[in-house]
Amino acid sequence: MDLIANLQCADQPGIVHAMTTAVLHCGGNIIENQQFTDHTTNTFVMRTRFETSQGLAAAEKSLGEGLGKFSPALHIRETAKKPRALVMVTKESHCLRDLMYLLELGELPIEIPLVVSNREDLKQLVESHGIPFMYLPVDASNKAAQEKALLAKVAELKIDFVVLARYMQVLSNDFCAALPGKIINIHHSFLPGFKGAKPYHQAHDRGVKIIGATAHFVTADLDEGPIIEQDVAHVTHSSSPEELIALGRDIERRVLAKAVKLYAEDRIFIVGHRTVIFS
């Protein structure tokens, strides 16, 4: 069995040796290992991929016993078991289309058991890919009830993480707190940070020279969660607002897909207000 173990704890002497010993105790053979110590927070993180003939339960027991004195946050997953993502959208389809395309190609190691939207614009597109679609309209009067229904779906479908693929609604603090480090969002950046309607038109009016996109974890602080992935493109005075929008869409879909893939492969650690990501 091929397993991935993610470990995070305070940096302490002997942690690497203990991890190696624990893997050996379950008949394991390490085939990939990456580690990092963040000296600002004194946090140690390690991602270890290993093979064992004794299975997941034996590995969890050996690692739990061998690393117990370090009080780690430890997550072990069978590599072949794909994380389940609930995708949320509104009416823009470029990020959703890319996720479904990569999924069909076998290049995105996730399952998408449900797409949820506050509009019905993308229902036909989603269902044409064989994925169930849930229409969940949201306004000030029903937001709490709708988010409660959404969390019930997360539990029912055993969702591992949520992807906001251009979902144009602000999630409540309670919803964010219910899924810490499990909600990924994508938005434009490097415009600079023009807010409100038509950000690319604002960027065009200001003559920006760089546009881009940022994928990050969602927190109660709007668009300020730990950053996962970013990309950027240079533009010139000759670029029209429509060209900026097209280029921005391309960057957004690529950045979101990369962030989802990194999460699905257990390569992301949240350390303080930033992320540690193993390539």
Side-chain angles (χ1 to χ4, degrees):
M1 180 177 287
D2 193 322
L3 303 173
I4 294 174
N6 277 7
L7 178 153
Q8 183 167 340
C9 63
D11 187 33
Q12 302 164 68
I15 182 70
V16 176
H17 175 73
M19 181 64 163
T20 303
T21 302
V23 171
L24 292 175
H25 279 172
C26 66
N29 175 47
I30 295 175
I31 55 178
E32 181 182 344
N33 189 76
Q34 293 172 290
Q35 64 191 63
F36 176 77
T37 299
D38 180 70
H39 295 290
T40 303
T41 60
N42 192 43
T43 301
F44 176 84
V45 296
M46 174 184 282
R47 178 184 187 272
T48 303
R49 181 181 170 194
F50 62 100
E51 295 175 328
T52 174
S53 59
Q54 295 185 17
L56 179 60
E60 289 177 333
K61 184 174 185 295
S62 293
L63 269 63
E65 293 175 350
L67 299 168
K69 69 177 182 180
F70 298 99
S71 300
L74 186 63
H75 172 69
I76 307 173
R77 177 179 64 87
E78 185 179 351
T79 309
K81 186 178 180 181
K82 298 178 181 179
R84 294 166 63 81
L86 185 148
V87 179
M88 300 184 68
V89 296
T90 296
K91 63 177 182 177
E92 294 188 66
S93 67
H94 56 288
C95 289
L96 173 65
R97 288 179 187 272
D98 198 49
L99 292 176
M100 294 191 300
Y101 175 65
L102 294 173
L103 186 65
E104 291 178 351
L105 288 179
E107 296 181 7
L108 197 60
I110 65 172
E111 295 179 4
I112 302 179
L114 181 66
V115 171
V116 174
S117 179
N118 61 315
R119 297 175 60 125
E120 294 187 278
D121 302 55
L122 303 178
K123 184 176 188 293
Q124 184 176 354
L125 170 65
V126 172
E127 293 180 344
S128 71
H129 286 263
I131 299 173
F133 179 91
M134 180 179 180
Y135 174 49
L136 200 69
V138 176
D139 57 37
S141 67
N142 69 2
K143 185 171 184 174
Q146 296 295 62
E147 288 191 342
K148 183 178 180 180
L150 190 57
L151 287 174
K153 275 294 180 184
V154 168
E156 174 192 339
L157 298 175
K158 298 181 179 179
I159 296 297
D160 295 297
F161 67 115
V162 174
V163 181
L164 306 183
R166 299 296 292 162
Y167 179 67
M168 307 307 291
Q169 291 286 323
V170 177
L171 300 174
S172 71
N173 292 353
D174 289 342
F175 189 90
C176 295
L179 297 169
K182 294 184 178 183
I183 309 174
I184 297 174
N185 187 33
I186 182 72
H187 66 80
H188 64 77
S189 57
F190 299 112
L191 290 180
F194 300 118
K195 297 181 180 180
K198 296 186 175 181
Y200 289 101
H201 286 77
Q202 297 179 51
H204 179 264
D205 290 342
R206 291 283 297 276
V208 301
K209 301 297 183 281
I210 297 175
I211 64 171
T214 295
H216 65 94
F217 286 111
V218 174
T219 64
D221 297 319
L222 185 63
D223 292 339
E224 294 187 15
I227 293 170
I228 303 170
E229 179 69 10
Q230 295 177 296
D231 200 2
V232 64
H234 289 267
V235 296
T236 72
H237 61 275
S238 65
S239 302
S240 68
E242 291 72 26
E243 289 171 332
L244 295 183
I245 291 170
L247 183 56
R249 285 173 178 159
D250 184 57
I251 300 171
E252 287 171 4
R253 67 165 184 82
R254 287 189 284 106
V255 169
L256 181 61
K258 178 68 176 298
V260 170
K261 190 171 189 292
L262 289 169
Y263 188 97
E265 294 177 346
D266 294 305
R267 297 184 181 276
I268 308 172
F269 294 81
I270 298 177
V271 178
H273 297 295
R274 64 185 189 132
T275 59
V276 173
I277 298 177
F278 293 128
S279 59

